[in-house]
Amino acid sequence: MGHRLAKLYESWANDPVVDFIVLKGNGRAFCAGGDVVRLYRLINEGKIEECKDCFRTFYSFVFLLSTYLKPHVAILDGITMGGGAGISVHGSFRIATDKTVFATPEVLIGLHPDAGASYYLSRLPGCLGEYLGLTGDMLSGEEMLACGLATHYSPNASIPLIEEQLGKLAAKDFSVMETFLTSFGQTANPSERSVLHRMNTLNKCFGHATVEEIVDSLESEAARTKDDWCISTVRKLREAPPLSLKVSLRSIREGRFRTLEQCLDREYRMTLRAISRQISNDFCEGVRARLVDKCFPPKWYPPCLEQVPEDMVDAYFALPDAYEPGLELPSKL
């Protein structure tokens, strides 16, 4: 699918008949992300080069989308997770609905937020990006609009009319598309239970320098307030792979000071480390336990935060070996 999308988008970029692109899902999801079970099986079959090609293709497409010179409208009417966020958030327009469910849950299977996630998560208000990246928690369409992940919001019932009118629209100019989408957009307020109403506590806890300090801060807050959100968040972090938590936190923090191109290049190197199993087997173990055998809990290595040495984390961020080609993005060609 990545190869197919890249070829289509490249051909449409130079096609004078194509004014803009609309991307939507076929069914109840926009896109639930990559087929990690298939990747897991390829790794176990020793077909690492096929896995590398998959990630190279996908990350390159994400960059192509981010630099696209025609308006791009992603209709996020349903599940939008992981790679699904990558092929939408980096585009120029994103419509969220009351059916939207957004998440970056890669850490829960022993990976890290990728497909440019370290770039956009790091640019969310306060420490919201750290929270979403480390817990894999979900956002609604209303929350996506409020924090800037979506550019517009429309109820699910309005989507057929928007699509119909888009079919009649001539809009090569971004401002024309903005005006059109705004005419259908609605205000949307997050529910009272939204994490966005807890930003003071979230920033206080997730603003710490290390994962250990974040967990300690949440535990202190939970003991003091008996707050369900704090208790639930501590539980999520305790169940997640310790190495992935540390790697993901550093990745998001570094992303704040990098371009998307730099983030994708770094995420690609990190992903190669994860699928090679030379540092840890957490990715394959997470997919096996959560998605293949479905026998909780996974056996993470290292098993706790205190046993994750810094050099293990550093290895994920090391420069590629001389024989290992880096990620060639369209800007370099």
Side-chain angles (χ1 to χ4, degrees):
M1 187 183 289
H3 281 293
R4 178 70 174 146
L5 283 171
K7 287 181 179 178
L8 285 171
Y9 275 59
E10 287 166 1
S11 66
W12 290 335
N14 300 312
D15 190 338
V17 177
V18 177
D19 289 348
F20 59 89
I21 296 172
V22 179
L23 185 65
K24 66 173 186 174
N26 181 21
R28 68 185 184 91
F30 168 74
C31 176
D35 187 352
V36 292
V37 173
R38 175 65 180 147
L39 289 168
Y40 161 81
R41 288 178 175 144
L42 286 173
I43 293 170
N44 285 338
E45 292 167 7
K47 299 176 180 177
I48 296 294
E49 291 305 317
E50 284 190 41
C51 293
K52 291 179 182 179
D53 181 61
C54 173
F55 285 108
R56 272 196 302 268
T57 300
F58 185 55
Y59 291 3
S60 295
F61 175 72
V62 167
F63 186 77
L64 173 65
L65 175 63
S66 75
T67 56
Y68 213 63
L69 298 180
K70 292 182 177 181
H72 185 272
V73 181
I75 302 176
L76 311 179
D77 190 32
I79 296 168
T80 305
M81 296 185 179
I87 61 172
S88 58
V89 170
H90 299 290
S92 47
F93 301 104
R94 291 89 63 192
I95 304 174
T97 77
D98 50 313
K99 301 289 187 183
T100 304
V101 181
F102 171 92
T104 51
E106 294 90 343
V107 72
L108 304 181
I109 55 169
L111 200 59
H112 51 270
D114 68 335
S118 67
Y119 180 82
Y120 66 76
L121 288 177
S122 66
R123 283 157 175 78
L124 295 180
C127 296
L128 180 61
E130 282 92 331
Y131 168 74
L132 294 174
L134 298 187
T135 65
D137 201 12
M138 294 177 285
L139 294 181
S140 66
E142 294 86 352
E143 290 171 317
M144 285 190 74
L145 180 70
C147 72
L149 283 168
T151 58
H152 299 82
Y153 178 90
S154 292
N156 162 268
S158 299
I159 295 301
L161 177 59
I162 293 174
E163 290 185 44
E164 179 186 340
Q165 294 302 312
L166 279 168
K168 302 174 183 177
L169 183 68
K172 291 185 178 180
D173 191 271
F174 286 81
S175 62
V176 174
M177 182 61 74
E178 169 67 33
T179 301
F180 170 83
L181 294 177
T182 300
S183 70
F184 284 94
Q186 295 187 13
T187 57
N189 297 315
S191 71
E192 292 181 1
R193 296 179 59 82
S194 170
V195 69
L196 299 182
H197 296 308
R198 299 176 175 274
M199 287 302 293
N200 287 338
T201 303
L202 187 152
N203 290 337
K204 175 184 173 183
C205 296
F206 281 84
H208 288 286
T210 67
V211 179
E212 290 92 334
E213 290 172 322
I214 290 172
V215 173
D216 287 345
S217 180
L218 283 164
E219 287 180 333
S220 297
E221 196 72 18
R224 183 177 66 84
T225 64
K226 303 295 187 292
D227 181 74
D228 288 342
W229 177 81
C230 291
I231 296 169
S232 170
T233 303
V234 169
R235 187 183 70 252
K236 290 175 184 176
L237 294 177
R238 288 295 186 192
E239 292 174 354
L243 178 59
S244 287
L245 288 175
K246 290 198 171 191
V247 166
S248 298
L249 180 63
R250 178 167 164 183
S251 178
I252 294 167
R253 295 267 167 89
E254 285 194 8
R256 249 179 212 115
F257 308 99
R258 300 290 185 268
T259 64
L260 174 60
E261 182 178 352
Q262 291 169 327
C263 286
L264 286 168
D265 185 62
R266 172 175 43 73
E267 289 169 8
Y268 177 67
R269 298 199 310 270
M270 294 166 63
T271 299
L272 293 193
R273 302 290 191 277
I275 66 176
S276 72
R277 301 193 282 192
Q278 293 176 351
I279 303 171
S280 172
N281 188 45
D282 278 357
F283 173 61
C284 285
E285 172 63 10
V287 175
R288 181 202 64 78
R290 296 190 185 277
L291 301 174
V292 179
D293 297 339
K294 300 181 181 178
C295 56
F296 289 78
K299 295 179 175 61
W300 304 124
Y301 175 77
C304 62
L305 290 168
E306 294 72 23
Q307 294 183 26
V308 181
E310 279 304 307
D311 60 349
M312 202 174 202
V313 178
D314 291 340
Y316 273 81
F317 295 83
L319 293 175
D321 298 322
Y323 62 83
E324 181 67 61
L327 183 65
E328 282 198 0
L329 297 173
S331 64
K332 295 180 180 177
L333 300 179

